[in-house]
Amino acid sequence: MREGIGLYKAKRKDNGKWIQGYLFCVWEKAYILLGTTNGIPNMVEVDPETVCQYIGESDKEGYKIHIGDRVESYEGEGVIAIDGMSIIVRFDKGAIWEFIKGFTGKLLLVIGNIHDKAVEE
């Protein structure tokens, strides 16, 4: 199993900022669990539509890569996705890479996420 595979990130409901931790769901609500204080869970409610799982790899600058992250490499820009049982990078210009542990992430740079608002030009 990939290290840290239980980690997730999502946008907070209260301020829209990204938060990372462990996912906890109750009915339709999603929370990121940050730990406990005196045995009491420290959780923040998040937008369930923005939940992204960590894939166990980091980019060339050490940033954790999650499903839905936008990345760039010599192939151009792409998105981290799941295809069956494989984690892939689907590039805008048609190339597709399958993740090879310890190698593929070193060729990528995370530049955003599919849930981030597009920058207006």
Side-chain angles (χ1 to χ4, degrees), residues 34-51:
L34 303 171
T36 60
T37 304
N38 298 324
I40 299 170
N42 183 7
M43 299 186 296
V44 175
E45 187 174 1
V46 296
D47 179 351
E49 297 293 319
T50 67
V51 172

Side-chain angles (χ1 to χ4, degrees), residues 4-98:
I5 206 71
L7 288 175
Y8 290 80
K9 73 176 181 180
K11 289 192 170 194
R12 296 173 62 122
K13 277 266 194 159
D14 60 355
N15 64 16
K17 293 185 179 181
W18 287 104
I19 188 170
Q20 182 175 285
Y22 297 93
L23 182 63
F24 180 75
C25 296
V26 178
W27 303 109
E28 296 87 31
K29 294 187 177 189
Y31 302 87
I32 293 291
L33 176 64
L34 303 171
T36 60
T37 304
N38 298 324
I40 299 170
N42 183 7
M43 299 186 296
V44 175
E45 187 174 1
V46 296
D47 179 351
E49 297 293 319
T50 67
V51 172
C52 302
Q53 187 174 12
Y54 173 54
I55 66 168
E57 295 285 327
S58 298
D59 73 0
K60 62 185 177 182
E61 293 188 357
Y63 185 82
K64 288 181 170 73
I65 302 173
H66 295 77
I67 302 298
D69 279 346
R70 292 205 52 79
V71 295
E72 68 179 13
S73 79
Y74 64 85
E75 293 276 10
E77 291 188 11
V79 175
I80 305 298
I82 295 177
D83 185 11
M85 297 294 289
S86 298
I87 298 170
I88 62 169
V89 184
R90 186 170 282 126
F91 289 95
D92 294 344
K93 295 182 181 177
I96 296 175
W97 291 359
E98 185 171 351

